[in-house]
Each structure stands twice: as C-alpha cells, then as structure tokens.
C-alpha cells in the first residue's frame, strides 16, 4: 500500500534546497558553508546528508532547480505559438524582466562556472549542459526563420544575453535591457535579410 506521503518531496529537503538556492545565488557557492545552510533551514546535519551526501550534490540540485525553472519559462513562451521571430523577442523580454527584478545577481550558471572552472567538475558540466540546451533552443527558433547561419546567429544571441546578465547587476538595468533588446532586434533584422555568418556581418 502506498503511504500518503510517498512521492511527495520531503519538507526538510525542500527547505534545504530553498535555503541553499537563496544563499548560493545571493552570496556565492564557496562563500556559503554547510553549517549556515543547516542553521537557516532549521534541520540537522544528519538530515542534510540524508538528502544530499555532500555540498556538491546540493549545488547540483540548486542548478537543476534553476535549469528546470528556465526551461519551464522557455516552454511557456514557445508554447504560445507565436512566429519564431516573435518568440525570440518574447524570450528576450523575459530575460530583460529577470534582469530588472529585485535581488538580481547575474546568471546563476555563469556565476557557478566562475567558481568551478575545472572542466571535469560536475558543477561545470551541469553549467555547460544548461548552456547547450539554451543555444540549441535559440538555434531551432532561428532555423524556423531560415536555416543558413542559424547557429552563429544563435551564438551571437547567447553572447548578448550573457553580456546583459553580467552588466545588469553592475550598471543601470533599465539601460542594459534597452541595449540588449535593441541588439536582439538588430540581430533578427540582419539574420532575416542575409545568410548570417557572425557578429562581423552585422
């Protein structure tokens, strides 16, 4: 017989992950220790290690949560059935809104990569997997506009997005987002009119 709680996420695990997500994002992964997370989540060390055998497992769970949320946002925008160019515009607007949201501290994945530069690190690999998904998503949308040059145009888009995410917590986020959205619009205009070969072609 299935128990009533079977299949439900553990409340303690949820508290741990929520706490770690908040602290890792706002203060940095290396700056936040296990003792701090345990104390703020109000659980014991034994409880933490029952759900996450080590800090790296908790970091990977944090990144997985961020990845899942971003995929969900993308799926919602894509599922609206807009023309491909308008879908890219809508995704860009969603990115701009996140940059202007309270507590924005840059891209969680770029931040994590900066703290885990070893290419063999599971955290670094999780960052690359997320970025590959995002690049493929943009490439697929651009391919629907027309195929030649879709991948270099998508790389250009991702680089603009990275720049906006980095600058958004350093400078005026409104101005950063205006610049980013203008760049996206220009990229779409150039890409639709030519066989795009990269930023130099813009």
């Amino acid at each position: 017989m299935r128990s009533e709680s079977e299949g439900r996420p553990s409340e303690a695990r949820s508290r741990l992950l929520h706490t770690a997500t908040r602290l890792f994002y706002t203060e940095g992964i290396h700056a936040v220790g296990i003792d701090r997370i345990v104390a703020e989540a109000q659980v014991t060390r034994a409880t933490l290690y029952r759900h996450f055998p080590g800090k790296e497992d908790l970091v990977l769970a944090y990144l997985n949560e961020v990845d899942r949320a971003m995929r969900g946002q993308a799926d919602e925008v894509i599922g609206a059935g807009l023309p491909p160019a308008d879908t890219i515009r809508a995704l860009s607007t969603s990115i701009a809104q996140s940059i202007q949201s309270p507590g924005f501290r840059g891209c969680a994945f770029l931040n994590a990569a900066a703290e885990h530069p070893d290419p063999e690190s599971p955290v670094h690999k999780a960052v690359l997997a997320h970025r590959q998904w995002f690049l493929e998503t943009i490439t697929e949308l651009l391919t629907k506009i027309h195929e030649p040059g879709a991948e270099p145009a998508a790389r250009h888009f991702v680089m603009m997005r990275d720049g906006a995410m980095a600058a958004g917590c350093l400078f005026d986020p409104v101005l950063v987002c205006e610049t980013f959205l203008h760049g996206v619009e220009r990229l779409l205009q150039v890409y639709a009119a030519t066989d795009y070969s990269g930023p130099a072609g813009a």
Side-chain angles (χ1 to χ4, degrees):
M1 177 182 297
R2 291 174 60 89
S3 67
E4 184 178 345
S5 62
E6 188 175 350
R8 295 181 183 177
S10 158
E11 182 182 344
R13 184 185 188 280
S14 296
R15 285 207 311 275
L16 281 164
L17 187 52
H18 176 77
T19 301
T21 295
R22 173 174 54 83
L23 293 175
F24 287 157
Y25 182 68
T26 57
E27 299 185 23
I29 293 170
H30 291 330
V32 178
I34 290 297
D35 288 341
R36 172 90 180 277
I37 295 169
V38 165
E40 295 206 16
Q42 298 183 324
V43 300
T44 64
R45 265 181 170 265
T47 298
L48 182 144
Y49 289 126
R50 184 165 67 248
H51 295 290
F52 304 101
K55 183 178 178 180
E56 185 175 83
D57 300 280
L58 186 54
V59 173
L60 291 171
Y62 150 62
L63 291 177
N64 183 63
E65 283 296 294
V66 180
D67 175 76
R68 185 178 61 81
M70 292 184 67
R71 288 176 187 252
Q73 288 178 331
D75 288 345
E76 183 176 349
V77 172
I78 293 169
L82 297 170
D86 287 338
T87 299
I88 292 173
R89 291 185 181 99
L91 285 171
S92 302
T93 298
S94 177
I95 292 168
Q97 289 171 344
S98 72
I99 292 172
Q100 296 179 71
S101 63
F104 178 74
R105 294 292 185 273
C107 172
F109 292 92
L110 291 177
N111 294 346
E115 294 196 67
H116 294 80
D118 181 1
E120 297 305 312
S121 161
V123 173
H124 194 92
K125 290 179 178 179
V127 171
L128 293 182
H130 168 81
R131 290 179 62 79
Q132 185 62 32
W133 158 77
F134 187 66
L135 176 63
E136 289 174 356
T137 298
I138 300 301
T139 301
E140 184 177 346
L141 288 168
L142 288 169
T143 298
K144 292 178 180 178
I145 299 174
H146 74 94
E147 188 169 354
E151 186 174 345
R155 290 198 303 269
H156 190 177
F157 178 95
V158 172
M159 289 183 69
M160 287 195 297
R161 177 262 182 197
D162 288 348
M165 296 288 274
C169 55
L170 297 173
F171 306 106
D172 180 355
V174 174
L175 181 59
V176 168
C177 290
E178 287 176 356
T179 304
F180 168 62
L181 294 174
H182 176 77
V184 170
E185 192 60 39
R186 177 61 177 155
L187 173 63
L188 288 171
Q189 291 172 2
V190 172
Y191 176 70
T194 65
D195 289 343
Y196 189 84
S197 59

